[in-house]
Each structure stands twice: as C-alpha cells, then as structure tokens.
Amino acid sequence: MRILLVEDDGLIGGAVRDQMLADGHAVDWAQRIAEADDFLAVAAYDCLLLDLALPDGRGLDFLTALRRRGARVPVIILTARDQISDRIAGLNGGADDYLVKPFDLTELSARVAAVARRYAGTPNPVTTLGSVSLDPAARTASLEGQPISLTAREWALLDALLRRRDTIVSKTQLEETLYAFGDEVESNAVEAHVSRLRKKLGHGVIETLRGLGYRLGAA
C-alpha cells in the first residue's frame, strides 16, 4: 500500500515510517498539514496515519475537511490524547481507527492491515488461489501446504492485486503503490517482482494482460 504519514515528531515519525517500510508499504511523510495537502493533491493513498497536534493546525480539523471534500482514504489517528472524549471526536470526525501513543509498532501494522481489509471488502484475510494460500494479515504464504518465504516488496505487490481482485491493475498503479516520492524506481521493477512471485508460487498466480496490466490468476 501507499501510505501518507502526517507526524511532526521526528523520532515517532521515523519509527512509524521504518515499520511501514519493513511491512512493504511505500511511505510519504509530511510534518505539516500544508505538506500533507500537497501530497494528497498529486497522489492517491491507501491509508493515512494522522497525528492530531501539528505545527500549522489541528489534525482533527484537517480530517474533517478531508471528509467534507469526499475523500474516502482510510485514516488511523496516532495521538497522545487518551481521553474517551478525544477518541469519540476522532471517530466521529471520520477516522477509521484511533491509536494512543506510545503504541506497539506491530499493533500499528495489524491495524493498518485490518483497515485495508475493511475497505477492500475482504474481512477474511486468507485467500486461496488453487494450491496457493495467502494471508496478508499474518504475512504467510503456502504452496500445496508448504510455507513460502516472500520479501516485503513481493507481499506489497500481492497485496495491491488482492485489494483489486476483480480489476486489472496497471504497471503504473503498482509502481505508485510500491514506491513513494523520491524512491528510485527501475523501469523493470514490477516485472522483476512478478517474475520472482511466479517462480515461488506458480506461473498462474499473476496474469499479464499485455498492454493493460496485471491481475490475480487461479494459480
């Protein structure tokens, strides 16, 4: 997934960014609301991680404005405010989840995955493609019952296809999901990841539609 992190604290932001990168997500990091607006104007995001206290305004006001504009991006609030009234205000303002600092980074990973599943309409995280079983929540894959090790980028690519199960995903869309602004993207990066996934899981796990893009196959 491509994630927008809006957090002005360098230590917390760096830790969250590194955790999301380790999970295979692409991350753009804004430290101010104005910067977040600039990112949202030019890129589509699969999830927004939002602090409430920012140098140039309140995160809750920013979220409310996003929802009024019709933005449907999933939002998880990350804040030190632990009062019930703050949680209620955040959820009523349009947040999908609310996590109080300090939090466990692996819990954040699980919540990001859960929110993504809800938006994709797939509450059951396990997907079966022929003899291949995929569980993005647990980050496990198996072929004919045998566990298969996948890299973070390979998981990210599969996740992007899983969340668009019934559609064709273009190479450009996959690149936008896998890589943040400033990342150096080789011209054959997507093809290389697809090739490695086919070697591990079987050629039929991902179909290529020449000139159009990719979609999950029957494996």
Side-chain angles (χ1 to χ4, degrees):
M1 293 193 296
R2 188 167 186 173
I3 293 173
L4 177 59
L5 169 63
V6 188
E7 169 64 67
D8 66 316
D9 185 289
L11 289 176
I12 295 174
V16 171
R17 177 199 58 199
D18 291 348
Q19 179 71 19
M20 294 297 99
L21 290 173
D23 289 342
H25 304 305
V27 183
D28 294 314
W29 180 7
Q31 295 184 308
R32 285 170 170 74
I33 290 174
E35 189 179 2
D37 268 328
D38 290 341
F39 279 127
L40 287 165
V42 295
Y45 290 95
D46 301 296
C47 187
L48 196 159
L49 304 178
L50 177 65
D51 186 21
L52 290 184
L54 294 159
D56 58 343
R58 299 193 329 142
L60 186 56
D61 292 339
F62 172 65
L63 172 58
T64 301
L66 276 181
R67 294 307 190 215
R68 285 176 178 168
R69 298 202 301 261
R72 297 188 66 254
V73 58
V75 175
I76 300 176
I77 288 176
L78 310 178
T79 181
R81 298 177 182 175
D82 60 355
Q83 298 298 309
I84 294 297
S85 58
D86 293 320
R87 293 173 184 257
I88 292 172
L91 295 171
N92 285 342
D96 298 274
D97 205 346
Y98 193 106
L99 198 54
V100 176
K101 303 173 184 176
F103 49 79
D104 186 271
L105 291 169
T106 57
E107 181 182 358
L108 174 60
S109 294
R111 292 188 183 226
V112 168
V115 166
R117 288 198 304 273
R118 289 201 299 271
Y119 269 72
T122 54
N124 183 355
V126 178
T127 296
T128 301
L129 306 169
S131 57
V132 174
S133 292
L134 304 172
D135 186 347
R139 300 176 70 78
T140 58
S142 63
L143 174 62
E144 297 180 346
Q146 298 301 311
I148 302 295
S149 178
L150 300 179
T151 68
R153 287 292 188 207
E154 289 165 356
W155 266 119
L157 191 146
L158 275 176
D159 183 62
L161 294 173
L162 282 167
R163 285 183 291 106
R164 301 168 177 84
R165 180 73 184 271
D166 299 321
T167 62
I168 299 170
V169 186
S170 70
K171 176 182 175 181
T172 299
Q173 287 175 312
L174 288 174
E175 287 176 341
E176 290 176 349
T177 297
L178 297 175
Y179 299 98
F181 289 117
D183 287 348
E184 185 174 343
V185 184
E186 296 182 4
S187 60
N188 68 335
V190 170
E191 290 88 344
H193 290 310
V194 168
S195 177
R196 287 194 288 270
L197 283 167
R198 285 171 173 162
K199 288 178 181 178
K200 292 181 178 182
L201 300 175
H203 187 80
V205 72
I206 299 175
E207 298 178 356
T208 299
L209 292 91
R210 193 170 301 278
L212 297 175
Y214 303 88
R215 70 182 174 196
L216 286 179

